[in-house]
Structures are given as C-alpha cells and as structure tokens.
Amino acid sequence: GSSPSMVSGENTLFSDIEGGPLVAPEYKYLATAYSYALLSQMQACVFTEADRLGKRKGLPLGFAGLACRHCYGGYGSGRFFPSNIKTMSDTSKTLNVLHSHMMRCRKCPSRVKVGLQTLR
C-alpha cells in the first residue's frame, strides 16, 4: 500500500487495521476513527449452546452477537452478545469491553493493539 500522507494525520495512519465484515467504508463518517477501527476487528456470530455461560444463560439459540475476528472459533472466548439496544449504545458496556478483549487477545496483532490505543 501507499504510505499515509502527513496532511490527514492520525485518521489514515491506521487505515490498514480498518475494514471488515461489519463496517462499510461509506459509513465511516458516522463513527469515530477509534470505534470504526475497533469494530473493524469484529465479525458477526450467533449464539450456540457452547456460549451458554454465566450471564448469557437466557439467550435464545441463533441470537446475533459480535465475535473477535482474530480468535474466533475458541469456545466462548472473544464473543459478545449485547442483549439490547441500551447495552449496545452504552460505550462503557460495548466499546470498552471490546477494547479490553483486544488488549488481552493473544491472536490480535500488536499493530492493531497499538492502533487502538493511539486512536482511543
């Protein structure tokens, strides 16, 4: 790829960690650079019997959730099921939870971790 220009600064600096199945470039203007990059690390998943842990016990099979693209497939790890729109719209409950997962995720590239820490 081409090197980011200094004019646009931080916004394009981490463009290599952006983009994914859940985010569309045409909606990027609606999000902060941080939330866009963070959600770029996620993919959609559905609730299965294997996810029936702790607070998630009452969720129906097939319930839509978010999964970490880096460690997806591990049982119950890196999978998030915000159960209502209030939870989803509360950044402390979604973005912060996703962020702390990324910082701990063994499969998440350090480039992504640095990018998220910088943009945050």
Side-chain angles (χ1 to χ4, degrees):
S2 57
S3 63
S5 72
M6 289 317 289
V7 182
S8 39
E10 232 163 60
N11 289 346
T12 55
L13 198 57
F14 292 101
S15 57
D16 59 311
I17 68 168
E18 286 178 359
L22 292 187
V23 293
E26 62 266 32
Y27 297 119
K28 188 181 173 184
Y29 73 97
L30 294 170
T32 62
Y34 166 68
S35 61
Y36 190 83
L38 186 57
L39 288 170
S40 292
Q41 313 310 315
M42 308 307 291
Q43 65 183 50
C45 68
V46 293
F47 190 79
T48 65
E49 279 302 336
D51 294 306
R52 212 171 276 292
L53 312 159
K55 285 186 256 180
R56 305 171 173 176
K57 281 199 276 286
L59 293 177
L61 292 176
F63 190 86
L66 297 169
C68 171
R69 288 170 64 197
H70 307 288
C71 69
Y72 182 67
Y75 281 103
S77 66
R79 292 157 69 88
F80 307 91
F81 298 94
S83 53
N84 57 48
I85 206 76
K86 192 172 182 295
T87 309
M88 196 60 197
S89 61
D90 181 344
T91 53
S92 66
K93 289 198 176 84
T94 43
L95 297 185
N96 294 353
V97 171
L98 300 180
H99 181 89
S100 57
H101 168 79
M102 290 305 158
M103 296 304 120
R104 286 193 318 264
C105 182
R106 289 192 208 105
K107 301 217 170 130
C108 181
S110 52
R111 166 86 185 139
V112 171
K113 295 182 182 183
V114 169
L116 293 174
Q117 291 282 51
T118 308
L119 295 170
R120 193 174 189 185

